[in-house]
Amino acid sequence: MEKYVTLTDLQLVDLLKKDDSDAFSEIYSRYAVLLVGFTSSKLFDLEDSRDIIHDVFVKLWQERKQLKVDYDLKAYLFKLTRYRIVDKIRKNITRQEYAAMVNSLAVSYGVTTEQEIAAKELAQIIETSLDKLSPRVKEVYLLSREENLSIT
Amino acid sequence: MNRHQLVALLDRYVKGETTNEENQLVERWLEENGNRNQVWQSLDQSDKDQWLSSVLSDINSTIHPAEVKVVPLPPTKRWLWQRIAAAAAVVLVVFTLYLQWPYWQSLLHPVQLTVLHAPVNQKQVITLADGSRVWINAGSELRYPKTFNGKIREVYLSGEAYFDIHHDPAKPFIIHTGEVRTTVLGTAFNIKEDENKHTVQVTVTRGKVSVANGRKLLGILIPNQQISFNTLKEEASQATVNAAAVIAWQQSDLYFEDVSFGEAIERLQQHFQVKISFRNEKLKDCRFTGTSAHGEELDKVLRVMCAFNKATYEVKPDGSIVIDGPGCSN
C-alpha cells in the first residue's frame, strides 16, 4: 500500500484499469473524505451521503476498463457525486428542507429566464436600429462589435 | 416556474439531458444551497475515519461479492455480544447526556434575562454582548442575557424587531417568538409578531435564516424572502417581498406614534441639534402620529407638524426656532 501514496492520479487510474484493488483503496482514501464533505454539506441525512459514496466508488470500479488514461479523476468523481446529490434531492423533494432548496432554484431560474428574454429583446432592438443605418455605417458598427476592430 | 417544471428540470439534469445553461444553473444553485448544520462536520477525526472505513468495506463487499465470508457465532458467544451491546448502549446514553449537558445545565440554572421594553411611542436600539444590534419597534419587548455563555445565543422577542446579528458560526443565534424559532449565524432580518392576527412574520435583508415552529422546519429564507406563520392554524406561507419596505420603520429615524408635540420637538432637537422652544406651552400637549423619512429636512418636518397642530414656527437670527399657536382642543 505504502508506495501507492506517492503515485499520481493518472498512475492510479492506469493501475485501476489493470484491476489493482490497492490502487482502488488509495483513490478511496484520497477522495472519499472530500466527497462526503461535499455531499453532507448538501444533504440533510448522513445515510444518504453513505449511499452516494458507496454508489460512486462501486461505479468507479465497474467502469474502470472504460476510463481514459488521461481522465481528470477528481472531476470525474465529483461529477458522479453531483448527479447523485441532485437525484437524492429530487427523490426527497417532499421533505421540507429540500422543498425550501428547490424553491430557491425556482427563484434563480425565474430570474435567468427573465434576463434571457430581456437580452433577446435588446438584441432585436439593436438589429432593427441597425437596419435604419446606411450599409457602410452598419458594416463599421458590426466590425467594431463582432471583429473587435476600432472605429477610427 | 412551477414545481412540476422544476422537478422535470432536475430529472433531466440527472439523466444528463440538460443544456449547458441549465447545467450551470443547477450547479450554481447546488453550490449556493444546502445543509449548514452538518452531522459530518461535528464528528471528530476518529469517528470520520471509522465511518469511511466502514463504507469502504461495504463497497468492497459489493464489488467483490465472492470474498464475503459469513462466520456464524457459537451460541455461547452470543451472550458476550449481547453484553457488549448492553454496555455499548449504556455508554451511548451517558455520552448523549454528556453531549446535551449544556441543555440540561440551562434547565438547572436558568439564565438571568434582562427585559428591554420599548414604550408605545419610542423605538429602542441595543447592542448585545456579542456585538449584534437589535432595533426594537415601539411597544415591543426583547428579553436577552447580559452575556452569551452557552453554545448558542438565545433571545426572546414579543412584537417587532430588526436584527443585525454578529457573525459567529460556532454559536448560532436563536430568536424565540412564541413557539417560532428563528435560527441564524450572522445575518440581518426583521421579525414581526402580531398577536391580534396570530401571525409571526420573518423577513430577511441579508444572509440566510432558518425558521422553525417547535421542531418543525418552516423554511430557509434568503434576502427579500418572507415567511408568514399563522400560530392558530400552524400554517406557514413563503413569499418574495421588498425587504427594504418591511424594515422602513427601522430606517426612518423619526417615527412618531401617538406622541405629544412636546416630546416630538424634544426628539427633533436631538436629531437636528437645534434649539426649539414653544411660545405657548399649551401646544406641548397636542398629540399626533406620523413618520418622517430618513434624512428629511427639518423645515419640511416642522411645516407638516405645525400644520397638523395648528401652529406656526419662526427661525430666529441665532438659528433657534420658536413655535407658536393657540393650542389644541384635546
Side-chain angles (χ1 to χ4, degrees):
Chain A
M1 254 323 265
E2 278 290 302
K3 68 172 178 132
Y4 286 91
V5 178
T6 56
L7 297 181
T8 65
D9 281 4
L10 293 182
Q11 290 169 312
L12 287 175
V13 170
D14 207 26
L15 289 169
L16 188 66
K17 289 164 84 73
K18 294 168 190 149
D19 303 338
D20 189 323
S21 58
D22 285 342
F24 181 76
S25 300
E26 173 57 24
I27 292 172
Y28 182 86
S29 68
R30 231 171 249 195
Y31 291 113
V33 65
L34 293 179
L35 295 174
V36 68
F38 179 46
T39 55
S40 66
S41 74
K42 302 297 164 198
L43 300 174
F44 290 84
D45 192 339
L46 194 55
E47 279 306 295
D48 285 341
S49 297
R50 188 191 185 97
D51 284 355
I52 289 177
I53 304 300
H54 182 270
D55 252 37
V56 163
F57 281 93
V58 169
K59 174 106 171 160
L60 174 71
W61 180 259
Q62 287 166 346
E63 308 256 295
R64 65 190 184 283
K65 300 282 183 199
Q66 284 87 49
L67 292 178
K68 296 201 179 72
V69 194
D70 58 352
Y71 235 91
D72 181 347
L73 183 61
K74 186 175 171 185
Y76 171 75
L77 291 173
F78 268 88
K79 193 172 152 198
L80 290 182
T81 307
R82 206 160 40 227
Y83 280 122
R84 281 162 179 74
I85 291 174
V86 172
D87 189 43
K88 283 279 182 204
I89 294 174
R90 160 75 185 85
K91 283 180 179 145
N92 288 295
I93 205 159
T94 48
R95 264 185 72 172
Q96 209 123 23
E97 296 92 333
Y98 296 120
M101 269 177 88
V102 174
N103 279 343
S104 70
L105 176 62
V107 172
S108 54
Y109 196 90
V111 169
T112 46
T113 322
E114 273 168 30
Q115 283 167 344
E116 265 170 37
I117 292 169
K120 269 182 197 153
E121 278 173 1
L122 186 62
Q124 203 138 41
I125 291 169
I126 292 173
E127 186 108 353
T128 45
S129 328
L130 280 179
D131 288 339
K132 292 177 190 151
L133 300 173
S134 74
R136 180 68 192 141
V137 176
K138 182 176 172 181
E139 195 193 341
V140 169
Y141 173 82
L142 287 177
L143 286 175
S144 78
R145 279 283 127 162
E146 279 142 36
E147 315 274 312
N148 280 324
L149 296 177
S150 96
I151 293 181
T152 49
Chain B
M1 180 173 220
N2 63 34
R3 160 144 302 202
H4 186 73
Q5 290 169 302
L6 280 174
V7 169
L9 173 67
L10 296 183
D11 277 341
R12 280 188 292 121
Y13 178 82
V14 171
K15 286 188 210 146
E17 293 168 359
T18 32
T19 64
N20 270 342
E21 285 108 69
E22 285 174 327
N23 281 342
Q24 279 174 12
L25 182 76
V26 171
E27 278 155 25
R28 200 175 52 224
W29 159 72
L30 195 62
E31 195 77 24
E32 287 167 359
N33 289 279
N35 172 14
R36 282 167 166 273
N37 313 310
Q38 324 171 18
V39 182
W40 178 253
Q41 291 282 9
S42 60
L43 297 178
D44 61 32
Q45 196 54 50
S46 70
D47 285 339
K48 284 183 181 172
D49 289 344
Q50 208 173 7
W51 191 92
L52 285 167
S53 66
S54 94
V55 178
L56 180 60
S57 69
D58 279 359
I59 292 168
N60 280 328
S61 59
T62 307
I63 59 185
H64 311 292
E67 292 168 22
V68 179
K69 292 175 199 131
V70 180
V71 185
L73 291 164
T76 46
K77 277 205 175 162
R78 187 165 288 168
W79 277 104
L80 179 65
W81 276 109
Q82 279 174 359
R83 273 192 226 169
I84 291 171
V90 171
V91 169
L92 190 69
V93 169
V94 172
F95 184 64
T96 311
L97 284 175
Y98 169 75
L99 281 184
Q100 292 185 342
W101 181 239
Y103 171 73
W104 293 109
Q105 208 176 22
S106 68
L107 283 187
L108 294 173
H109 308 282
V111 183
Q112 282 291 323
L113 294 174
T114 309
V115 179
L116 181 62
H117 185 86
V120 282
N121 54 6
Q122 220 183 331
K123 290 177 293 171
Q124 298 271 356
V125 185
I126 181 180
T127 305
L128 301 176
D130 63 338
S132 298
R133 303 253 291 158
V134 186
W135 286 259
I136 303 158
N137 205 349
S140 304
E141 187 180 282
L142 183 76
R143 283 179 291 143
Y144 62 95
K146 279 253 177 279
T147 53
F148 294 105
N149 293 324
K151 284 194 168 171
I152 47 176
R153 299 172 279 172
E154 271 181 301
V155 299
Y156 298 81
L157 170 75
S158 59
E160 181 168 28
Y162 177 70
F163 293 86
D164 193 341
I165 300 303
H166 182 79
H167 189 74
D168 185 355
K171 263 195 190 187
F173 196 106
I174 299 176
I175 299 111
H176 298 268
T177 316
E179 287 288 297
V180 177
R181 274 186 308 131
T182 309
T183 307
V184 299
L185 298 173
T187 52
F189 55 93
N190 192 70
I191 299 183
K192 182 179 187 178
E193 177 193 35
D194 191 326
E195 282 181 336
N196 297 322
K197 291 185 190 156
H198 306 285
T199 56
V200 176
Q201 275 186 346
V202 181
T203 316
V204 176
T205 56
R206 195 185 75 233
K208 247 186 220 176
V209 174
S210 104
V211 185
N213 179 41
R215 298 187 69 90
K216 193 174 159 227
L217 184 76
L218 299 177
I220 296 168
L221 302 180
I222 57 172
N224 287 323
Q225 285 189 338
Q226 181 182 69
I227 270 193
S228 298
F229 181 68
N230 186 308
T231 51
L232 275 188
K233 297 183 195 155
E234 304 224 318
E235 278 171 5
S237 61
Q238 203 165 320
T240 303
V241 297
N242 177 7
V246 175
I247 62 161
W249 68 267
Q250 174 264 334
Q251 302 221 313
S252 65
D253 274 341
L254 298 165
Y255 184 83
F256 306 103
E257 193 173 294
D258 191 23
V259 292
S260 74
F261 204 5
E263 288 165 339
I265 290 303
E266 234 164 73
R267 285 179 47 208
L268 285 186
Q269 292 197 76
Q270 278 175 10
H271 187 80
F272 290 101
Q273 295 293 314
V274 288
K275 195 173 154 9
I276 309 174
S277 56
F278 289 95
R279 190 162 289 149
N280 179 0
E281 292 286 315
K282 275 206 308 203
L283 277 167
K284 282 191 178 177
D285 298 326
C286 299
R287 301 196 77 83
F288 70 100
T289 293
T291 311
S292 148
H294 186 61
E296 216 161 30
E297 297 141 54
L298 176 60
D299 249 16
K300 219 166 145 190
V301 179
L302 272 178
R303 210 174 322 136
V304 175
M305 262 185 201
C306 286
F308 195 85
N309 293 304
K310 302 182 192 71
T312 53
Y313 72 95
E314 191 186 338
V315 184
K316 294 284 173 194
D318 64 348
S320 71
I321 293 163
V322 179
I323 297 173
D324 197 10
C328 309
S329 47
N330 57 356

